[in-house]
Coordinates of all heavy atoms in Angstrom, one line a residue:
M1 N -9.5 -16.0 14.4 CA -9.2 -15.9 13.0 C -9.9 -14.8 12.3 O -9.3 -14.1 11.5 CB -9.5 -17.3 12.3 CG -8.9 -17.5 11.0 SD -7.1 -17.7 10.9 CE -6.9 -19.2 11.8
D2 N -11.2 -14.6 12.6 CA -11.9 -13.5 12.0 C -11.4 -12.2 12.4 O -11.4 -11.2 11.6 CB -13.4 -13.7 12.4 CG -14.1 -14.9 11.7 OD1 -13.6 -15.2 10.6 OD2 -15.0 -15.4 12.2
R3 N -10.9 -12.0 13.7 CA -10.4 -10.8 14.1 C -9.1 -10.4 13.4 O -8.9 -9.3 13.0 CB -10.1 -10.8 15.6 CG -11.4 -10.8 16.4 CD -11.1 -10.8 17.9 NE -12.3 -10.8 18.7 CZ -12.3 -10.8 20.0 NH1 -11.2 -10.9 20.7 NH2 -13.5 -10.9 20.6
I4 N -8.3 -11.4 13.1 CA -7.1 -11.2 12.4 C -7.4 -10.7 11.0 O -6.8 -9.8 10.4 CB -6.2 -12.4 12.4 CG1 -5.7 -12.7 13.8 CG2 -5.0 -12.3 11.5 CD1 -5.0 -14.1 14.0
I5 N -8.3 -11.4 10.3 CA -8.7 -11.0 9.0 C -9.3 -9.6 8.9 O -9.0 -8.8 8.0 CB -9.7 -12.1 8.4 CG1 -9.0 -13.4 8.2 CG2 -10.4 -11.6 7.2 CD1 -9.9 -14.5 7.8
R6 N -10.1 -9.3 9.9 CA -10.7 -7.9 10.0 C -9.6 -6.9 10.2 O -9.6 -5.8 9.5 CB -11.7 -7.8 11.1 CG -12.5 -6.5 11.0 CD -13.6 -6.5 12.1 NE -14.5 -7.6 12.0 CZ -14.8 -8.5 13.0 NH1 -14.2 -8.3 14.1 NH2 -15.6 -9.5 12.8
A7 N -8.6 -7.2 11.1 CA -7.5 -6.2 11.3 C -6.7 -6.0 10.1 O -6.3 -4.9 9.8 CB -6.7 -6.7 12.5
L8 N -6.4 -7.1 9.4 CA -5.6 -7.0 8.2 C -6.3 -6.2 7.1 O -5.7 -5.4 6.3 CB -5.2 -8.3 7.6 CG -4.1 -9.1 8.4 CD1 -3.9 -10.5 8.0 CD2 -2.8 -8.3 8.4
S9 N -7.6 -6.4 7.0 CA -8.4 -5.6 6.0 C -8.4 -4.1 6.4 O -8.2 -3.3 5.5 CB -9.9 -6.1 6.0 OG -9.9 -7.5 5.6
W10 N -8.6 -3.8 7.6 CA -8.5 -2.4 8.0 C -7.1 -1.8 7.9 O -7.0 -0.6 7.5 CB -9.0 -2.2 9.4 CG -10.5 -2.2 9.5 CD1 -11.3 -3.2 10.0 CD2 -11.4 -1.1 9.1 NE1 -12.6 -2.8 9.9 CE2 -12.7 -1.6 9.3 CE3 -11.2 0.1 8.5 CZ2 -13.8 -0.8 9.0 CZ3 -12.3 0.9 8.2 CH2 -13.6 0.4 8.4
W11 N -6.1 -2.6 8.1 CA -4.8 -2.1 7.9 C -4.5 -1.8 6.5 O -3.9 -0.8 6.2 CB -3.8 -3.2 8.4 CG -2.4 -2.8 8.6 CD1 -1.9 -1.6 9.0 CD2 -1.2 -3.7 8.3 NE1 -0.5 -1.7 9.0 CE2 -0.1 -2.9 8.6 CE3 -1.1 -5.0 7.9 CZ2 1.2 -3.4 8.4 CZ3 0.2 -5.5 7.7 CH2 1.3 -4.7 8.0
W12 N -5.0 -2.6 5.6 CA -4.8 -2.3 4.2 C -5.6 -1.1 3.8 O -5.2 -0.3 2.9 CB -5.3 -3.5 3.3 CG -5.1 -3.4 1.9 CD1 -4.0 -3.5 1.1 CD2 -6.2 -3.0 0.9 NE1 -4.2 -3.2 -0.2 CE2 -5.6 -3.0 -0.3 CE3 -7.5 -2.8 1.1 CZ2 -6.3 -2.7 -1.5 CZ3 -8.2 -2.5 -0.1 CH2 -7.6 -2.4 -1.3
A13 N -6.8 -0.9 4.4 CA -7.7 0.2 4.0 C -7.1 1.5 4.5 O -7.5 2.6 4.1 CB -9.0 0.0 4.7
S14 N -6.1 1.5 5.4 CA -5.4 2.7 5.9 C -4.4 3.3 4.9 O -3.9 4.4 5.1 CB -4.8 2.5 7.2 OG -3.6 1.7 7.1
V15 N -4.1 2.6 3.9 CA -3.1 3.1 2.9 C -3.4 4.4 2.3 O -2.5 5.3 2.3 CB -2.8 2.0 1.8 CG1 -2.0 2.5 0.7 CG2 -2.2 0.8 2.4
P16 N -4.6 4.7 1.8 CA -4.9 6.0 1.2 C -4.7 7.2 2.3 O -4.2 8.2 1.9 CB -6.3 6.0 0.8 CG -6.6 4.5 0.6 CD -5.8 3.8 1.6
L17 N -5.0 6.9 3.5 CA -4.8 7.9 4.5 C -3.3 8.2 4.7 O -2.9 9.4 4.8 CB -5.4 7.5 5.9 CG -5.3 8.5 7.0 CD1 -6.1 9.8 6.7 CD2 -5.9 7.9 8.3
L18 N -2.5 7.2 4.7 CA -1.1 7.4 4.8 C -0.5 8.1 3.6 O 0.4 9.0 3.7 CB -0.3 6.1 4.9 CG -0.4 5.4 6.3 CD1 0.2 4.0 6.3 CD2 0.3 6.3 7.3
L19 N -1.0 7.8 2.4 CA -0.6 8.5 1.2 C -0.9 10.0 1.2 O -0.2 10.9 0.7 CB -1.1 7.9 0.0 CG -0.5 6.5 -0.4 CD1 -1.3 5.9 -1.6 CD2 0.9 6.7 -0.8
F20 N -2.1 10.3 1.8 CA -2.5 11.7 1.8 C -2.1 12.5 3.0 O -2.4 13.7 3.1 CB -4.1 11.8 1.6 CG -4.5 11.4 0.2 CD1 -5.4 10.4 0.1 CD2 -4.0 12.1 -0.9 CE1 -5.8 10.0 -1.2 CE2 -4.4 11.7 -2.2 CZ -5.3 10.7 -2.3
A21 N -1.5 11.8 4.0 CA -1.1 12.5 5.2 C -0.2 13.7 5.0 O -0.4 14.7 5.6 CB -0.5 11.5 6.2
P22 N 0.9 13.6 4.2 CA 1.7 14.8 4.0 C 0.9 15.9 3.3 O 1.2 17.1 3.7 CB 2.8 14.3 3.0 CG 2.9 12.8 3.2 CD 1.4 12.4 3.6
A23 N 0.0 15.7 2.4 CA -0.8 16.7 1.8 C -1.7 17.4 2.8 O -1.9 18.6 2.8 CB -1.5 16.2 0.6
I24 N -2.3 16.5 3.6 CA -3.2 17.1 4.7 C -2.4 17.9 5.7 O -2.8 19.0 6.0 CB -3.9 15.9 5.4 CG1 -4.8 15.2 4.5 CG2 -4.6 16.4 6.7 CD1 -5.4 13.9 5.0
A25 N -1.2 17.5 6.0 CA -0.3 18.3 6.9 C 0.0 19.6 6.3 O 0.1 20.7 6.9 CB 0.9 17.5 7.3
Y26 N 0.3 19.6 5.0 CA 0.7 20.8 4.2 C -0.5 21.8 4.2 O -0.4 23.0 4.4 CB 1.1 20.5 2.8 CG 1.5 21.6 2.0 CD1 2.8 22.2 2.2 CD2 0.7 22.2 1.0 CE1 3.2 23.3 1.5 CE2 1.1 23.3 0.3 CZ 2.3 23.8 0.5 OH 2.7 24.9 -0.2
A27 N -1.7 21.2 4.0 CA -2.9 22.1 4.0 C -3.2 22.7 5.4 O -3.8 23.7 5.4 CB -4.1 21.3 3.5
M28 N -2.8 22.0 6.4 CA -3.1 22.4 7.8 C -2.0 23.5 8.2 O -2.1 24.0 9.3 CB -3.2 21.3 8.7 CG -4.4 20.4 8.5 SD -4.4 19.0 9.6 CE -4.6 19.8 11.2
G29 N -1.0 23.7 7.4 CA -0.1 24.7 7.7 C 1.3 24.2 8.2 O 2.0 25.0 8.8
T30 N 1.6 23.0 8.0 CA 2.9 22.5 8.4 C 3.6 21.9 7.2 O 3.7 20.7 7.0 CB 2.8 21.4 9.5 OG1 1.9 20.4 9.0 CG2 2.2 21.9 10.8
P31 N 4.2 22.8 6.4 CA 4.8 22.3 5.1 C 6.1 21.6 5.4 O 6.6 20.8 4.6 CB 5.1 23.6 4.3 CG 5.1 24.7 5.3 CD 4.1 24.2 6.4
D32 N 6.7 21.8 6.6 CA 8.0 21.1 6.9 C 7.8 19.6 7.0 O 8.7 18.9 6.6 CB 8.5 21.6 8.3 CG 8.9 23.1 8.2 OD1 9.1 23.6 7.1 OD2 8.9 23.7 9.3
L33 N 6.6 19.2 7.5 CA 6.4 17.8 7.6 C 6.4 17.1 6.2 O 7.0 16.0 6.0 CB 5.0 17.5 8.2 CG 4.6 16.1 8.3 CD1 5.4 15.4 9.4 CD2 3.1 15.9 8.6
R34 N 5.8 17.8 5.2 CA 5.8 17.2 3.9 C 7.2 17.1 3.3 O 7.5 16.1 2.7 CB 4.9 18.1 3.0 CG 4.7 17.5 1.6 CD 3.8 18.4 0.8 NE 3.5 17.8 -0.5 CZ 2.8 18.3 -1.4 NH1 2.2 19.5 -1.1 NH2 2.6 17.7 -2.5
G35 N 8.0 18.1 3.5 CA 9.4 18.0 3.0 C 10.3 17.1 3.7 O 11.1 16.5 3.0
E36 N 10.2 17.0 5.0 CA 11.1 16.2 5.8 C 10.8 14.7 5.8 O 11.7 13.9 5.6 CB 11.2 16.8 7.2 CG 11.8 18.1 7.3 CD 11.8 18.7 8.7 OE1 11.4 17.9 9.6 OE2 12.1 19.9 8.9
I37 N 9.6 14.4 6.1 CA 9.3 13.0 6.3 C 8.1 12.5 5.4 O 7.6 11.4 5.7 CB 9.0 12.6 7.8 CG1 7.8 13.4 8.3 CG2 10.3 12.8 8.6 CD1 7.4 12.9 9.7
G38 N 7.8 13.2 4.4 CA 6.7 12.8 3.5 C 7.0 11.5 2.8 O 6.1 10.7 2.6
W39 N 8.3 11.2 2.5 CA 8.7 10.0 1.8 C 8.5 8.8 2.8 O 8.3 7.7 2.3 CB 10.1 10.1 1.4 CG 11.1 10.3 2.4 CD1 11.5 11.5 3.0 CD2 11.8 9.3 3.2 NE1 12.4 11.3 4.0 CE2 12.6 10.0 4.1 CE3 11.9 7.9 3.1 CZ2 13.5 9.3 5.0 CZ3 12.7 7.3 4.0 CH2 13.5 7.9 4.9
V40 N 8.6 9.0 4.1 CA 8.4 7.9 5.0 C 6.9 7.4 4.9 O 6.7 6.2 5.0 CB 8.7 8.3 6.5 CG1 8.4 7.3 7.5 CG2 10.2 8.7 6.6
F41 N 6.0 8.3 4.8 CA 4.6 7.9 4.7 C 4.4 7.1 3.4 O 3.6 6.1 3.4 CB 3.7 9.2 4.7 CG 3.5 9.8 6.1 CD1 4.2 10.9 6.4 CD2 2.7 9.2 7.0 CE1 4.1 11.5 7.7 CE2 2.5 9.8 8.2 CZ 3.2 10.9 8.6
S42 N 5.0 7.5 2.3 CA 4.9 6.8 1.1 C 5.4 5.4 1.1 O 4.8 4.5 0.7 CB 5.6 7.6 -0.1 OG 5.0 8.9 -0.2
L43 N 6.6 5.3 1.7 CA 7.2 4.0 1.9 C 6.4 3.1 2.8 O 6.3 1.9 2.5 CB 8.7 4.1 2.4 CG 9.7 4.6 1.4 CD1 11.0 4.7 2.0 CD2 9.7 3.7 0.1
T44 N 5.9 3.6 3.8 CA 5.0 2.9 4.7 C 3.8 2.4 4.0 O 3.3 1.2 4.2 CB 4.7 3.7 6.0 OG1 5.9 4.1 6.6 CG2 3.9 2.9 7.0
A45 N 3.1 3.3 3.3 CA 1.9 2.9 2.5 C 2.2 1.8 1.5 O 1.4 0.9 1.4 CB 1.3 4.1 1.9
L46 N 3.4 1.9 0.8 CA 3.7 0.9 -0.1 C 4.0 -0.5 0.6 O 3.5 -1.5 0.1 CB 5.0 1.3 -0.9 CG 5.4 0.4 -2.0 CD1 4.4 0.3 -3.1 CD2 6.8 0.9 -2.5
F47 N 4.6 -0.4 1.7 CA 4.9 -1.6 2.5 C 3.6 -2.3 2.9 O 3.4 -3.5 2.8 CB 5.8 -1.3 3.7 CG 6.0 -2.5 4.6 CD1 6.9 -3.4 4.3 CD2 5.4 -2.6 5.8 CE1 7.2 -4.5 5.1 CE2 5.6 -3.6 6.7 CZ 6.5 -4.6 6.3
I48 N 2.7 -1.5 3.5 CA 1.4 -2.0 3.9 C 0.6 -2.6 2.8 O -0.1 -3.6 2.9 CB 0.6 -0.9 4.7 CG1 1.3 -0.6 6.0 CG2 -0.9 -1.4 4.9 CD1 0.7 0.6 6.7
A49 N 0.6 -1.9 1.6 CA -0.2 -2.3 0.4 C 0.3 -3.7 -0.1 O -0.4 -4.4 -0.6 CB -0.1 -1.3 -0.7
V50 N 1.6 -4.0 0.2 CA 2.1 -5.3 -0.2 C 1.9 -6.4 0.9 O 1.5 -7.5 0.6 CB 3.6 -5.1 -0.6 CG1 4.2 -6.5 -0.9 CG2 3.7 -4.3 -1.8
V51 N 2.2 -6.0 2.1 CA 2.3 -7.0 3.2 C 0.9 -7.4 3.6 O 0.6 -8.6 3.9 CB 3.1 -6.5 4.4 CG1 3.0 -7.4 5.6 CG2 4.6 -6.4 4.0
A52 N 0.0 -6.5 3.8 CA -1.4 -6.8 4.3 C -2.1 -7.9 3.5 O -2.7 -8.8 4.1 CB -2.2 -5.6 4.5
P53 N -2.2 -7.7 2.2 CA -2.9 -8.7 1.4 C -2.3 -10.1 1.4 O -2.9 -11.1 1.5 CB -3.0 -8.2 0.0 CG -2.7 -6.7 0.1 CD -1.9 -6.5 1.3
V54 N -0.9 -10.1 1.4 CA -0.2 -11.4 1.4 C -0.4 -12.1 2.8 O -0.7 -13.3 2.8 CB 1.3 -11.2 1.1 CG1 2.0 -12.5 1.3 CG2 1.5 -10.7 -0.3
A55 N -0.3 -11.3 3.9 CA -0.6 -11.9 5.2 C -2.0 -12.4 5.3 O -2.3 -13.4 5.9 CB -0.2 -10.9 6.3
G56 N -2.9 -11.6 4.8 CA -4.4 -12.0 4.8 C -4.6 -13.2 4.0 O -5.4 -14.1 4.4
L57 N -4.0 -13.4 2.9 CA -4.1 -14.6 2.1 C -3.6 -15.8 2.9 O -4.3 -16.9 2.9 CB -3.3 -14.5 0.8 CG -4.1 -13.9 -0.4 CD1 -3.1 -13.6 -1.5 CD2 -5.2 -14.7 -0.8
V58 N -2.5 -15.7 3.6 CA -2.0 -16.8 4.4 C -3.0 -17.1 5.5 O -3.3 -18.3 5.7 CB -0.6 -16.4 4.9 CG1 -0.1 -17.5 5.9 CG2 0.4 -16.3 3.8
V59 N -3.4 -16.1 6.2 CA -4.4 -16.4 7.3 C -5.7 -17.0 6.8 O -6.2 -17.9 7.4 CB -4.6 -15.1 8.1 CG1 -5.8 -15.2 9.1 CG2 -3.4 -14.6 8.8
A60 N -6.2 -16.5 5.7 CA -7.4 -17.0 5.2 C -7.3 -18.5 4.7 O -8.2 -19.3 4.8 CB -7.9 -16.2 4.0
Q61 N -6.1 -18.8 4.1 CA -5.8 -20.1 3.7 C -5.7 -21.1 4.8 O -6.3 -22.2 4.8 CB -4.5 -20.2 2.8 CG -4.2 -21.5 2.2 CD -5.1 -21.9 1.1 OE1 -5.7 -21.0 0.4 NE2 -5.4 -23.1 1.0
V62 N -5.0 -20.7 5.9 CA -4.9 -21.5 7.1 C -6.2 -21.7 7.8 O -6.6 -22.8 8.2 CB -3.9 -20.9 8.1 CG1 -3.9 -21.6 9.4 CG2 -2.5 -21.0 7.5
G63 N -7.0 -20.7 7.8 CA -8.3 -20.7 8.5 C -9.4 -21.3 7.6 O -10.6 -21.4 8.0
D64 N -9.1 -21.6 6.3 CA -10.1 -22.1 5.4 C -11.3 -21.2 5.2 O -12.4 -21.6 5.3 CB -10.5 -23.5 5.7 CG -11.1 -24.2 4.5 OD1 -10.8 -23.9 3.4 OD2 -12.0 -25.1 4.8
R65 N -11.1 -19.9 5.1 CA -12.1 -18.9 4.9 C -12.2 -18.5 3.4 O -11.3 -17.7 3.0 CB -11.9 -17.7 5.8 CG -11.7 -17.9 7.2 CD -13.0 -18.2 7.9 NE -13.0 -17.9 9.3 CZ -12.7 -18.8 10.2 NH1 -12.2 -20.0 9.8 NH2 -12.7 -18.5 11.5
R66 N -13.1 -19.0 2.7 CA -13.2 -18.8 1.2 C -13.5 -17.3 0.9 O -12.9 -16.8 0.0 CB -14.2 -19.7 0.6 CG -13.8 -21.1 0.5 CD -14.9 -21.9 -0.2 NE -14.5 -23.3 -0.1 CZ -14.2 -24.0 -1.2 NH1 -14.1 -23.4 -2.4 NH2 -13.9 -25.3 -1.1
E67 N -14.5 -16.7 1.6 CA -14.8 -15.4 1.3 C -13.7 -14.4 1.6 O -13.4 -13.5 0.8 CB -16.1 -15.0 2.2 CG -17.3 -15.7 1.8 CD -18.5 -15.4 2.7 OE1 -18.3 -14.6 3.6 OE2 -19.5 -16.0 2.5
A68 N -13.0 -14.7 2.7 CA -11.8 -13.8 3.0 C -10.7 -14.0 2.0 O -10.0 -13.0 1.7 CB -11.3 -14.1 4.4
R69 N -10.5 -15.2 1.6 CA -9.5 -15.5 0.6 C -9.8 -14.7 -0.7 O -8.9 -14.1 -1.3 CB -9.5 -17.0 0.3 CG -8.2 -17.4 -0.3 CD -8.1 -18.9 -0.5 NE -8.7 -19.6 0.6 CZ -9.4 -20.8 0.5 NH1 -9.4 -21.4 -0.7 NH2 -9.9 -21.4 1.5
L70 N -11.0 -14.7 -1.1 CA -11.4 -13.9 -2.3 C -11.2 -12.4 -2.1 O -10.7 -11.7 -3.0 CB -12.9 -14.2 -2.7 CG -13.4 -13.4 -3.9 CD1 -12.6 -13.8 -5.2 CD2 -14.9 -13.6 -4.1
R71 N -11.5 -11.9 -0.9 CA -11.3 -10.5 -0.6 C -9.8 -10.2 -0.7 O -9.4 -9.1 -1.2 CB -11.8 -10.2 0.8 CG -11.6 -8.8 1.2 CD -12.0 -8.5 2.6 NE -13.0 -9.3 3.2 CZ -13.1 -9.6 4.5 NH1 -12.3 -9.2 5.3 NH2 -14.1 -10.4 4.9
F72 N -9.0 -11.0 -0.2 CA -7.5 -10.7 -0.2 C -6.9 -10.9 -1.6 O -5.9 -10.2 -1.9 CB -6.8 -11.5 0.9 CG -7.0 -11.0 2.3 CD1 -7.7 -11.8 3.2 CD2 -6.5 -9.8 2.7 CE1 -8.0 -11.3 4.5 CE2 -6.8 -9.3 3.9 CZ -7.5 -10.1 4.8
V73 N -7.5 -11.7 -2.4 CA -7.0 -11.8 -3.8 C -7.3 -10.5 -4.5 O -6.5 -10.0 -5.3 CB -7.7 -13.0 -4.5 CG1 -7.5 -13.0 -6.0 CG2 -7.1 -14.3 -4.0
I74 N -8.5 -10.0 -4.3 CA -8.9 -8.7 -4.9 C -8.0 -7.6 -4.3 O -7.5 -6.7 -5.1 CB -10.4 -8.4 -4.6 CG1 -11.3 -9.4 -5.4 CG2 -10.7 -6.9 -5.0 CD1 -12.7 -9.3 -5.0
M75 N -7.7 -7.6 -3.0 CA -6.8 -6.6 -2.5 C -5.4 -6.7 -3.1 O -4.8 -5.7 -3.3 CB -6.7 -6.8 -0.9 CG -8.0 -6.4 -0.2 SD -8.0 -7.1 1.4 CE -7.6 -5.7 2.4
T76 N -4.9 -7.9 -3.3 CA -3.6 -8.1 -3.9 C -3.6 -7.6 -5.3 O -2.6 -6.9 -5.7 CB -3.3 -9.6 -3.9 OG1 -3.3 -10.1 -2.5 CG2 -1.9 -9.8 -4.4
A77 N -4.7 -7.8 -6.1 CA -4.7 -7.3 -7.4 C -4.7 -5.8 -7.4 O -4.0 -5.1 -8.2 CB -5.9 -7.9 -8.1
L78 N -5.5 -5.2 -6.6 CA -5.5 -3.7 -6.5 C -4.2 -3.1 -6.0 O -3.8 -2.1 -6.5 CB -6.7 -3.3 -5.6 CG -8.1 -3.5 -6.1 CD1 -9.1 -3.1 -5.0 CD2 -8.3 -2.6 -7.3
S79 N -3.5 -3.8 -5.1 CA -2.3 -3.3 -4.6 C -1.1 -3.5 -5.6 O -0.2 -2.7 -5.6 CB -1.9 -4.0 -3.3 OG -2.8 -3.7 -2.3
S80 N -1.3 -4.4 -6.5 CA -0.2 -4.7 -7.5 C -0.1 -3.6 -8.5 O 0.9 -3.4 -9.1 CB -0.4 -6.0 -8.1 OG -1.5 -6.0 -8.9
V81 N -1.2 -2.9 -8.8 CA -1.2 -1.8 -9.8 C -0.2 -0.7 -9.5 O 0.7 -0.4 -10.3 CB -2.6 -1.3 -10.1 CG1 -2.6 -0.1 -11.0 CG2 -3.5 -2.4 -10.7
P82 N -0.3 -0.1 -8.3 CA 0.6 1.0 -8.0 C 2.1 0.5 -7.9 O 3.0 1.2 -8.3 CB 0.2 1.6 -6.7 CG -1.0 0.9 -6.3 CD -1.3 -0.1 -7.3
V83 N 2.2 -0.7 -7.4 CA 3.6 -1.3 -7.2 C 4.2 -1.5 -8.6 O 5.4 -1.1 -8.8 CB 3.5 -2.6 -6.4 CG1 4.9 -3.3 -6.4 CG2 3.1 -2.3 -5.0
L84 N 3.4 -2.0 -9.5 CA 3.9 -2.3 -10.9 C 4.2 -0.9 -11.6 O 5.2 -0.8 -12.4 CB 3.0 -3.1 -11.7 CG 2.9 -4.6 -11.3 CD1 1.8 -5.3 -12.0 CD2 4.2 -5.3 -11.4
L85 N 3.4 0.1 -11.4 CA 3.6 1.4 -12.0 C 4.9 2.0 -11.5 O 5.7 2.6 -12.2 CB 2.4 2.3 -11.8 CG 1.2 2.0 -12.6 CD1 0.0 2.9 -12.2 CD2 1.4 2.1 -14.1
L86 N 5.1 1.9 -10.2 CA 6.3 2.4 -9.5 C 7.5 1.7 -10.1 O 8.5 2.3 -10.4 CB 6.2 2.3 -8.0 CG 7.4 2.8 -7.2 CD1 7.5 4.3 -7.4 CD2 7.3 2.4 -5.8
L87 N 7.5 0.4 -10.2 CA 8.6 -0.4 -10.7 C 8.9 -0.1 -12.1 O 10.1 0.0 -12.5 CB 8.4 -1.9 -10.5 CG 8.5 -2.4 -9.1 CD1 8.2 -3.9 -9.0 CD2 9.9 -2.2 -8.5
S88 N 7.9 0.1 -12.9 CA 8.1 0.4 -14.3 C 8.7 1.8 -14.5 O 9.5 2.0 -15.4 CB 6.8 0.3 -15.1 OG 5.9 1.2 -14.7
A89 N 8.3 2.7 -13.6 CA 8.9 4.1 -13.7 C 10.3 4.1 -13.3 O 11.1 4.8 -13.8 CB 8.1 5.0 -12.8
V90 N 10.7 3.2 -12.4 CA 12.1 3.1 -11.9 C 12.9 2.3 -12.9 O 14.0 2.7 -13.2 CB 12.2 2.5 -10.5 CG1 13.6 2.2 -10.1 CG2 11.5 3.4 -9.5
L91 N 12.4 1.2 -13.4 CA 13.2 0.3 -14.3 C 13.2 0.8 -15.7 O 14.2 0.6 -16.4 CB 12.6 -1.1 -14.2 CG 12.7 -1.8 -12.9 CD1 12.1 -3.1 -13.0 CD2 14.2 -1.9 -12.5
F92 N 12.2 1.5 -16.2 CA 12.1 1.9 -17.6 C 11.8 3.4 -17.6 O 10.7 3.9 -18.0 CB 11.0 1.2 -18.3 CG 11.1 -0.3 -18.2 CD1 10.2 -1.1 -17.5 CD2 12.2 -0.9 -18.9 CE1 10.3 -2.4 -17.4 CE2 12.3 -2.3 -18.8 CZ 11.4 -3.1 -18.1
P93 N 12.8 4.2 -17.3 CA 12.6 5.7 -17.3 C 12.4 6.2 -18.7 O 12.8 5.5 -19.7 CB 13.8 6.3 -16.7 CG 14.9 5.2 -16.9 CD 14.1 3.9 -16.9
E94 N 11.7 7.3 -18.9 CA 11.4 7.8 -20.2 C 12.7 8.3 -20.9 O 12.9 8.1 -22.1 CB 10.4 9.0 -20.1 CG 9.9 9.5 -21.4 CD 8.9 10.5 -21.2 OE1 8.1 10.4 -20.3 OE2 8.8 11.4 -22.1
C95 N 13.6 8.9 -20.1 CA 14.8 9.4 -20.7 C 16.0 8.7 -20.1 O 16.0 8.4 -18.9 CB 15.0 10.9 -20.3 SG 13.7 11.9 -21.0
P96 N 16.9 8.3 -21.0 CA 18.1 7.6 -20.4 C 18.9 8.6 -19.5 O 18.8 9.8 -19.6 CB 18.9 7.2 -21.7 CG 18.0 7.4 -22.8 CD 17.0 8.4 -22.4
D97 N 19.8 8.0 -18.7 CA 20.6 8.8 -17.8 C 21.5 9.7 -18.6 O 22.1 9.3 -19.6 CB 21.4 7.9 -16.9 CG 20.5 7.2 -15.8 OD1 19.4 7.7 -15.6 OD2 21.0 6.2 -15.3
G98 N 21.6 10.9 -18.2 CA 22.5 11.9 -18.8 C 21.8 12.7 -19.9 O 22.4 13.7 -20.4
Y99 N 20.6 12.3 -20.3 CA 19.9 13.1 -21.3 C 18.8 13.9 -20.7 O 18.2 13.5 -19.7 CB 19.3 12.2 -22.4 CG 20.3 11.4 -23.2 CD1 20.7 10.2 -22.9 CD2 20.8 12.1 -24.3 CE1 21.6 9.5 -23.7 CE2 21.7 11.4 -25.1 CZ 22.2 10.1 -24.8 OH 23.1 9.5 -25.5
H100 N 18.6 15.1 -21.2 CA 17.5 15.9 -20.7 C 16.4 16.0 -21.8 O 16.6 16.4 -22.9 CB 18.0 17.3 -20.5 CG 19.1 17.4 -19.5 ND1 18.9 17.1 -18.1 CD2 20.4 17.5 -19.6 CE1 20.0 17.2 -17.5 NE2 21.0 17.4 -18.4
C101 N 15.2 15.6 -21.4 CA 14.1 15.6 -22.4 C 13.3 16.9 -22.3 O 13.1 17.4 -21.3 CB 13.2 14.4 -22.1 SG 13.9 12.8 -22.3

């Protein structure tokens, strides 16, 4: 149980690296990577940011690990901020369709 909790924590911690991978590749001299599959890294990071804390909460609840449960609640709260910002940008755009601001 502790190994699963540790693995899910590290999996969630890898999200910033995935978000910065296209920028790092661009800085290293491979701009094609950023243009072609940079969006894949972003979607993967978003998926991990959502799935890892939820799976960790389930595992911590089943294993009755209070400290791990608190850790995954904090991870869920931190992960919800970018997800909510992304959803608000998609659902409530600044300019209506067809208008140029």
Side-chain angles (χ1 to χ4, degrees):
M1 195 68 64
D2 290 332
R3 288 182 183 177
I4 295 171
I5 290 171
R6 189 177 304 124
L8 287 170
S9 297
W10 280 105
W11 191 36
W12 181 79
S14 71
V15 169
L17 182 62
L18 283 172
L19 285 175
F20 291 122
I24 293 169
Y26 182 76
M28 292 179 65
T30 54
D32 298 335
L33 178 73
R34 184 178 185 178
E36 292 176 7
I37 60 171
W39 61 274
V40 174
F41 285 103
S42 299
L43 288 178
T44 304
L46 184 64
F47 177 75
I48 291 171
V50 171
V51 171
V54 173
L57 276 171
V58 170
V59 170
Q61 185 69 30
V62 169
D64 197 32
R65 304 283 202 276
R66 288 181 185 252
E67 293 175 3
R69 200 174 325 147
L70 178 63
R71 180 186 331 150
F72 285 113
V73 166
I74 292 169
M75 291 163 100
T76 304
L78 289 174
S79 294
S80 68
V81 172
V83 172
L84 291 175
L85 288 175
L86 180 67
L87 286 177
S88 66
V90 170
L91 295 177
F92 306 111
E94 187 174 327
C95 299
D97 290 338
Y99 292 96
H100 300 288
C101 296

